[in-house]
Amino acid sequence: MTTEFFGLVAGLFSYRQVNPMCGRFALFSLPSTLARRFGTDTIPGMEARYNIAPSQSIFIIRTEGDRRRFATAHWGLIPFWAKDARIGYSMINARAETVAEKPAFRTSFKQRRCLIPADGFYEWQALPGAKTKQPWFISLRNREPMAFAGLWERWNSPEGRAVESCSIIVTAANNLMQPIHERMPVILAPDDWNIWLAPHLSNADRLLDLLQPYPDEEMTAWPVSTKVNSPKNDSEECIEASA
């Protein structure tokens, strides 16, 4: 995968509006913290990101052999059978209710599951009478990095390039999220990580049982500035509470 190719894809998937589900998140914990949290090797050179948007390259965690390892993937899953990479823009999220049957996701759901690490995510709240939605940042109450349930796929372009891409699974909002948005990413509890990553587990019912709203009492949220609306803004200011 070349830098030029990802630049082309980013142009095709230019992020023009806030996505109606999970369309932005942040990952800013130290590499050593992430390695401890997820039981992986430390990744040299990992930089803090406060406004990660679709079409960008993001970190995923998957099982390779008997170990969890970090990898990078394009955010916007491109099914292996796709003729055009542009399909990936509409595949940044997979609905928990249909992920096992939808053609774009069902093979990955059976065979290529991953964790997507994050320190928190953003959602936009529609306010009565307001033209602009209010962005919120949502994190775990203990401020530990969280793990979204993810899928990944490998696609070969017509030119022969191998592109790895991914999607975040979303589900119904919990009580904390409901006043903000009707959907939220599936956050997996640490005790469920090994089950989700198990390469030979394909029991759909067992996997679907994991795709539940995270306990709201273990989460927190606060309103932030509309600076996050533009993916060009990628600094700690994006997560600061707004006045």
Side-chain angles (χ1 to χ4, degrees), residues 15 22 62 68 77 90 120 157 201 206-207:
Y15 198 68
C22 180
R62 59 193 179 193
R68 295 179 192 161
L77 189 140
S90 61
S157 74
L201 177 61
R206 181 69 182 93
L207 294 167

Side-chain angles (χ1 to χ4, degrees), residues 127-147:
L127 300 174
K131 295 181 179 180
T132 303
K133 293 183 177 181
Q134 172 63 56
W136 288 71
F137 186 70
I138 303 98
S139 74
L140 296 184
R141 188 172 293 276
N142 62 11
R143 301 298 196 273
E144 287 274 22
M146 62 182 70

Side-chain angles (χ1 to χ4, degrees), residues 178-223:
Q178 284 175 5
I180 303 171
H181 198 277
E182 64 182 6
R183 308 289 292 180
M184 65 181 292
V186 172
I187 302 168
L188 296 172
D191 288 346
D192 294 330
W193 294 350
N194 283 339
I195 300 171
W196 183 252
L197 293 176
H200 302 299
L201 177 61
S202 59
N203 184 306
D205 290 339
R206 181 69 182 93
L207 294 167
L208 290 171
D209 282 345
L210 303 180
L211 306 182
Q212 306 297 326
Y214 202 73
D216 55 278
E217 66 272 13
E218 297 182 22
M219 301 178 67
T220 188
W222 58 88

